[in-house]
Amino acid sequence: MPADDVTQRLVNEIRLRAYDDHYIDRTEEREILQIAVAVGVELDPARQTLARICADQGYVLESDVVASVRAAVEAAAREKKIDKTTFEGLVDKAKFVAGGKKTDREARKLVIALMEETAAARVKTGWFSDWYATAKKELGVV
């Protein structure tokens, strides 16, 4: 298949999946990459093409959102323990990076999941309250 045809096929597949919400989640990203590999494109060039097309079209890739928020969580944990104010800032960053495609609840779940992976021991709680445990309980992430 010629390179132009492959690129056009990927553009069409991306547009089909991002038509309604302009957001490519991990499942959709995997499907697109599987199609690219099936038509003869190697994985790394397929990822680069996917990222380029999404940037050109203004679509948001969930893997980019997760990578950006993970870097912010790791940076915050290196600087100091994460308190409630820092957590709220990370949630705002997640919503901003996602281009408004994630709700407040989804952004909070994402930040807590990334904190669990990277910085769970670096959470600052108060003397009489544990905001982190309360947030996890409210979101059903226990």
Side-chain angles (χ1 to χ4, degrees):
M1 204 172 211
D4 291 339
D5 291 346
V6 170
T7 302
Q8 189 57 43
R9 170 120 190 247
L10 289 178
V11 168
N12 290 337
E13 294 293 337
I14 293 167
R15 283 185 180 161
L16 285 171
R17 285 163 177 79
Y19 177 75
D20 56 345
D21 59 358
H22 292 259
Y23 189 81
I24 304 290
D25 64 24
R26 290 180 183 180
T27 305
E28 293 169 335
E29 184 176 349
R30 187 178 321 112
E31 290 170 357
I32 293 166
L33 292 174
Q34 286 175 344
I35 291 168
V37 169
V39 296
V41 179
E42 292 184 24
L43 189 58
D44 287 336
R47 275 197 181 114
Q48 292 169 356
T49 303
L50 173 63
R52 181 180 49 80
I53 292 169
C54 286
D56 291 347
Q57 299 293 321
Y59 300 147
V60 178
L61 277 170
E62 184 174 19
S63 59
D64 290 345
V65 172
V66 171
S68 179
V69 174
R70 176 178 279 123
V73 167
E74 289 172 350
R78 274 194 307 270
E79 292 175 13
K80 59 182 180 177
K81 288 186 176 183
I82 298 175
D83 59 3
K84 188 170 184 172
T85 306
T86 306
F87 173 76
E88 294 297 334
L90 291 168
V91 170
D92 290 341
K93 178 174 178 65
K95 290 192 300 189
F96 176 76
V97 172
K101 307 300 184 216
K102 286 204 173 281
T103 64
D104 188 62
R105 182 176 179 83
E106 292 170 335
R108 287 177 184 282
K109 277 185 154 182
L110 173 64
V111 172
I112 286 177
L114 293 173
M115 286 175 67
E116 290 290 316
E117 287 178 17
T118 60
R122 304 275 308 160
V123 175
K124 182 178 181 181
T125 59
W127 282 79
F128 300 107
S129 67
D130 186 355
W131 65 267
Y132 186 65
T134 303
K136 284 173 51 175
K137 189 181 292 183
E138 287 174 358
L139 297 171
V141 182
V142 179

